[in-house]
């Protein structure tokens, strides 16, 4: 673990007074890094309201971090099942995670307090590659290489619904939990969460049929969506009309890694990994803002901290990125 200065200086008091601008973005750098992983980070998730981050990694560990104080609170090993994707439930002490052992594709509801399994969710027959929890209710959706998306209720072991797809699916709920998206084969399909069995109410073409989809996400206000693909494209769409607002190009993913991008909390910026390990940032209105090169050769995962001037990257290490106020000179962007 390394880092300089009070890393979380913008976590609470300043986040109201300081807005994200191109200059603030360009000043961002790694304020703290945890380098004690023995494998690549495969998933990260911030809790929506509590100041916690959870990571999963190829060293078969799940780690819980106190974001405000940059502390690793707990490490839980999942040697038997492995761990691939992980997401917080509403409760900051429970997570749902997928396995990586190749013989048991169940999802698990795990209590971080006492390291106990509260429930198993059985139904997939191949690796789960996408997981999204409904922000308003106890539902979640998973997408698998078995070409199905299953809809679940955290209180029941069996899936509540099944949707078949024609390729590797990426899934995501919107911030209200009213709509979910399933992306594959150059299309994003939008479903009403209450009437999903009637099929998609909208289908947006994006990318191409042969481009493998990696991630689909909504902006916090639900107005925009982003989609990333293995061939190195990051598309931003209007989530109501379906038109592509912008497409950014990074290096394609050659490895088994995932090309992930995230919206900033205000929905004005996109931060993305790249197949060459770099991190890119764009202003949705005006284009590229910054690029940070890396000695890594696989795309880092990217997650933005809710309501904060901070994002994390996950690769062979976990890095917290914050603005460097000394680079901002006259504090442009501070009201």
């Amino acid at each position: 673990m390394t880092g300089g200065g009070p890393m979380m200086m913008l976590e609470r008091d300043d986040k109201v007074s300081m807005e994200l601008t191109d200059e603030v973005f360009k000043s961002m750098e790694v304020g703290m890094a945890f380098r004690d992983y023995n494998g690549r980070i495969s998933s990260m998730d911030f809790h929506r309201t509590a100041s916690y981050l959870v990571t999963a990694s190829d060293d078969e560990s799940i780690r819980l971090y106190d974001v405000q104080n940059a502390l690793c609170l707990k490490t839980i090993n999942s040697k038997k099942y492995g761990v691939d994707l992980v997401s917080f439930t509403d409760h900051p002490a429970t997570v749902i995670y997928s396995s990586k052992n190749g013989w048991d594709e169940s999802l698990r509801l795990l209590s971080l307090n006492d390291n106990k399994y509260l429930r198993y969710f059985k139904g997939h027959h191949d690796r789960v590659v996408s997981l999204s929890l409904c922000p308003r209710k106890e539902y979640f959706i998973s997408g698998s290489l078995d070409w199905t998306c299953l809809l679940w209720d955290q209180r029941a072991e069996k899936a509540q619904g099944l949707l078949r797809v024609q390729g590797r699916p990426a899934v995501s709920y919107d911030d209200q939990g009213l709509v979910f998206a399933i992306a594959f084969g150059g299309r994003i399909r939008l479903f009403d969460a209450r009437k999903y069995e009637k099929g998609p109410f909208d289908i947006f073409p994006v990318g191409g049929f042969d481009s493998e989809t990696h991630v689909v996400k909504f902006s916090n206000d639900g107005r925009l969506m982003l989609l990333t693909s293995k061939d190195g494209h990051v598309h931003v769409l209007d989530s109501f009309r379906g038109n592509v607002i912008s497409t950014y190009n990074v290096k394609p993913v050659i490895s088994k890694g995932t090309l992930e991008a995230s919206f900033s909390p205000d929905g004005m910026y996109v931060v993305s990994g790249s197949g060459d390990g770099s991190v890119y940032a764009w202003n949705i209105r005006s284009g590229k803002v910054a690029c940070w090169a890396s000695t890594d050769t696989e795309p880092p995962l990217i997650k933005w901290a809710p309501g904060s001037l901070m994002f994390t990257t996950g690769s062979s290490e976990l890095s917290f990125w914050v603005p460097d106020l000394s680079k901002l000179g006259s504090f442009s962007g501070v009201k």
Side-chain angles (χ1 to χ4, degrees):
M1 187 182 77
T2 60
M7 194 209 83
M8 296 301 151
M9 60 191 170
L10 298 167
E11 175 66 19
R12 290 286 175 258
D13 299 338
D14 293 326
K15 72 178 180 185
V16 176
S17 61
M18 190 171 190
E19 66 180 19
L20 197 51
T21 63
D22 288 9
E23 286 68 32
V24 169
F25 227 122
K26 287 173 184 171
S27 82
M28 292 186 90
E29 60 180 30
V30 176
M32 179 75 80
F34 291 85
R35 300 198 169 105
D36 54 343
Y37 285 85
N38 296 312
R40 196 162 186 84
I41 294 170
S42 56
S43 181
M44 305 184 291
D45 189 38
F46 282 98
H47 193 269
R48 290 168 59 82
T49 53
S51 186
Y52 291 118
L53 171 75
V54 66
T55 68
S57 95
D58 291 347
D59 62 11
E60 300 172 329
S61 73
I62 296 170
R63 306 189 193 195
L64 177 68
Y65 292 88
D66 173 339
V67 175
Q68 203 169 350
N69 297 302
L71 289 173
C72 183
L73 299 177
K74 182 169 285 196
T75 300
I76 293 173
N77 292 311
S78 176
K79 298 291 183 189
K80 182 176 179 182
Y81 302 109
V83 55
D84 195 6
L85 304 180
V86 65
S87 287
F88 276 113
T89 66
D90 274 352
H91 198 289
T94 57
V95 296
I96 292 173
Y97 80 92
S98 67
S99 30
K100 204 175 194 172
N101 56 18
W103 53 268
D104 183 340
E105 305 302 341
S106 302
L107 294 147
R108 290 170 176 77
L109 179 62
L110 174 71
S111 165
L112 298 175
N113 283 339
D114 50 13
N115 193 15
K116 282 188 177 166
Y117 294 120
L118 307 177
R119 194 157 287 116
Y120 297 81
F121 306 99
K122 298 179 180 179
H124 282 302
H125 303 291
D126 205 339
R127 190 161 69 93
V128 174
V129 290
S130 191
L131 180 64
S132 181
L133 271 67
C134 180
R136 304 292 179 199
K137 294 191 172 132
E138 291 178 293
Y139 303 136
F140 66 99
I141 183 170
S142 56
S144 165
L145 295 179
D146 64 12
W147 286 22
T148 67
C149 294
L150 295 180
L151 291 103
W152 308 86
D153 184 321
Q154 290 179 37
R155 298 160 292 190
E157 289 193 359
K158 290 189 176 174
Q160 309 294 296
L162 180 151
L163 294 164
R164 297 192 184 279
V165 296
Q166 304 282 297
R168 171 183 167 140
V171 299
S172 180
Y173 276 98
D174 77 336
D175 195 56
Q176 300 298 312
L178 300 174
V179 171
F180 64 79
I182 300 179
F184 63 91
R187 299 281 187 275
I188 299 176
R189 291 156 175 83
L190 296 180
F191 295 81
D192 183 328
R194 297 156 296 186
K195 300 182 286 193
Y196 63 85
E197 64 278 358
K198 292 186 176 180
F201 65 83
D202 245 329
I203 301 178
F204 301 147
V206 56
F209 284 110
D210 56 346
S211 63
E212 181 181 276
T213 301
H214 278 189
V215 168
V216 66
K217 291 182 184 178
F218 289 87
S219 60
N220 283 347
D221 61 10
R223 292 180 184 177
L224 300 173
M225 301 176 70
L226 65 77
L227 181 144
T228 70
S229 59
K230 183 180 175 74
D231 53 13
H233 299 311
V234 181
H235 305 282
V236 177
L237 298 86
D238 181 309
S239 57
F240 298 108
R241 297 186 186 91
N243 55 300
V244 176
I245 294 169
S246 49
T247 296
Y248 310 115
N249 299 309
V250 297
K251 292 281 193 246
V253 180
I254 301 165
S255 63
K256 292 180 181 176
T258 298
L259 182 64
E260 186 175 39
S262 286
F263 285 112
S264 58
D266 61 7
M268 298 301 296
Y269 293 86
V270 171
V271 191
S272 175
S274 170
D276 62 1
S278 306
V279 176
Y280 286 86
W282 301 275
N283 181 318
I284 287 171
R285 288 178 181 165
S286 58
K288 183 175 163 187
V289 173
C291 172
W292 296 275
S294 168
T295 55
D296 211 336
T297 53
E298 291 189 42
L301 299 177
I302 310 262
K303 283 287 189 301
W304 202 285
S308 179
L309 282 173
M310 181 181 72
F311 66 88
T312 54
T313 55
S315 52
S316 54
E317 56 190 56
L318 174 68
S319 301
F320 291 80
W321 295 69
V322 290
D324 179 354
L325 296 182
S326 67
K327 288 183 183 173
L328 290 173
S330 61
F331 292 82
S332 57
V334 178
K335 294 175 183 175

